[in-house]
Amino acid sequence: MNTGLKITAFAAAVAATFGTTYAVGASVDTVGKPVAHTEDHGERRAKQEKRGADGDHTPGGLQIVADGYALDLRTPRAEAGDRTDLRFRILKSDSGRPVTQYTRDHGKELHLIVASRDLTTYRHLHPVRAADGTWSVPATLPEAGDYRVFADFRPERAKEKVTLGADLAVTGAYAPAPTLAPSSTTKVAGGYEVRLDGALTPGEPGELTLRVTRRGKPVTDLQPYLGAYGHLVALRSGDLAYLHVHPNGEPGDATTEPGPEVSFTATAPSAGTYRLFLDFRHEGKVRTAPFTLRVGAGGGAADGQGHGH
Ligand SMILES: [Cu+2]
């Protein structure tokens, strides 16, 4: 059938894309989404070398005040296992006035990510905004510990998205999880298997592809979730720097298939270990598949792809 053929052709194209890391970098120019650099490959590479693997740009989520905005978390404490209302405001940092006008991104004015510092608990929430600018959303965090709250939004007149982060303490007996262990490239989430393909090079946009199957069968009827067939959040282990990730293609653009592959372009600001959380929607339910990805210096491909260290 035509659809089957198309999917096979797409899978072949994806496989070809990951032949070498150079090809991954080069392929970014063809995805048709705005990426940070428009120079030719050589120039871009030179610039990256100059910028270094550490990067001059501060990644999102590390600051409570940045780009003219402040995150005012009114509920910096919660009780483990209890349903709490998380409340916060986004303030103009100069005037202290709450922001009440936003530009929607992925269908929402603001995305709230809550993650434990040990990266074992993850929530992707969509708070409700009151007229005075106060956002609120109920959340139940099962484990005590230090958490980070990320507000990802775009104020109405801002040119770019802003991601601010604040600490949240969840009280109770705290037993931090051990350092992130290498995870398999295939994860099981709610009866689905999700496989991660691709690698990232520090400072360079790279493509990551997630393939969703159920009991070994490709899922070809994923449902749009936040304007895409998947939503990927990536956090750096150690400081929880928040990466910008763009889905490649969107539902209804005539080329993007509703699975089994969902592809993203992401830039890791440095070498290190990253935790990736993929949200996808199927049969009306959103599921989350977490992965651990090593980037740079000996990391290369995702964990489990033939690297024993
Ligand atoms: Cu969201």
Side-chain angles (χ1 to χ4, degrees), residues 61 63-66 69-71 90 149-153 162-166:
Q63 295 171 290
I64 200 165
V65 182
Y69 297 91
L71 170 56
I90 303 297
V149 170
F150 302 93
D152 184 336
F153 60 95
V162 180
T163 306
L164 302 176

Side-chain angles (χ1 to χ4, degrees), residues 108 110-112 124-126 225-226 231:
K108 301 282 175 185
L110 186 144
H111 303 261
L112 191 77
H124 179 166
L125 307 168
H126 295 118
Y225 176 58
L226 304 169
H231 193 97

Side-chain angles (χ1 to χ4, degrees), residues 56-79:
D56 294 326
H57 308 290
T58 304
L62 296 176
Q63 295 171 290
I64 200 165
V65 182
D67 304 322
Y69 297 91
L71 170 56
D72 174 29
L73 181 61
R74 313 307 294 268
T75 51
R77 222 163 271 269
E79 196 78 39

Side-chain angles (χ1 to χ4, degrees), residues 2-253:
N2 197 16
T3 316
L5 191 67
K6 257 197 282 184
I7 289 166
T8 310
F10 178 68
V14 168
T17 302
F18 293 113
T20 63
T21 22
Y22 187 85
V24 171
S27 76
V28 170
D29 297 327
T30 66
V31 299
K33 281 268 163 189
V35 289
H37 306 282
T38 51
E39 313 90 352
D40 72 48
H41 198 68
E43 263 179 87
R44 193 169 76 193
R45 186 146 286 214
K47 203 171 213 178
Q48 272 145 14
E49 273 158 27
K50 213 166 114 194
R51 195 168 54 182
D54 295 340
D56 294 326
H57 308 290
T58 304
L62 296 176
Q63 295 171 290
I64 200 165
V65 182
D67 304 322
Y69 297 91
L71 170 56
D72 174 29
L73 181 61
R74 313 307 294 268
T75 51
R77 222 163 271 269
E79 196 78 39
D82 279 3
R83 188 182 142 113
T84 13
D85 258 318
L86 295 177
R87 276 181 298 108
F88 62 96
R89 299 182 304 168
I90 303 297
L91 308 175
K92 288 275 287 169
S93 54
D94 51 2
S95 64
R97 285 224 178 83
V99 177
T100 54
Q101 310 217 294
Y102 296 82
T103 301
R104 278 169 186 264
D105 182 65
H106 294 164
K108 301 282 175 185
E109 288 187 346
L110 186 144
H111 303 261
L112 191 77
I113 302 297
V114 180
S116 58
R117 282 266 176 204
D118 65 2
L119 292 168
T120 54
T121 300
Y122 171 84
R123 298 281 187 273
H124 179 166
L125 307 168
H126 295 118
V128 172
R129 180 171 54 81
D132 72 352
T134 303
W135 292 91
S136 63
V137 65
T140 305
L141 301 165
E143 307 286 345
D146 293 326
Y147 283 68
R148 193 79 175 159
V149 170
F150 302 93
D152 184 336
F153 60 95
R154 192 171 144 198
E156 197 183 30
R157 270 179 287 278
K159 283 197 199 80
E160 291 187 357
K161 286 210 298 178
V162 180
T163 306
L164 302 176
D167 286 339
L168 169 69
V170 178
T171 57
Y174 179 29
T179 315
L180 280 182
S183 73
S184 162
T185 48
T186 300
K187 277 309 190 75
V188 176
Y192 296 78
E193 308 91 42
V194 183
R195 195 183 77 205
L196 171 67
D197 285 305
L200 296 180
T201 304
E204 190 169 336
E207 193 172 349
L208 297 171
T209 299
L210 293 118
R211 183 184 158 86
V212 184
T213 55
R214 185 161 56 171
R215 290 184 288 275
K217 282 177 126 177
V219 174
T220 56
D221 58 344
L222 288 175
Q223 295 167 315
Y225 176 58
L226 304 169
Y229 287 121
H231 193 97
L232 186 70
V233 166
L235 300 172
R236 180 166 63 188
S237 177
D239 66 0
L240 273 62
Y242 186 94
L243 275 63
H244 282 272
V245 180
H246 305 277
N248 297 333
E250 52 188 59
D253 66 4

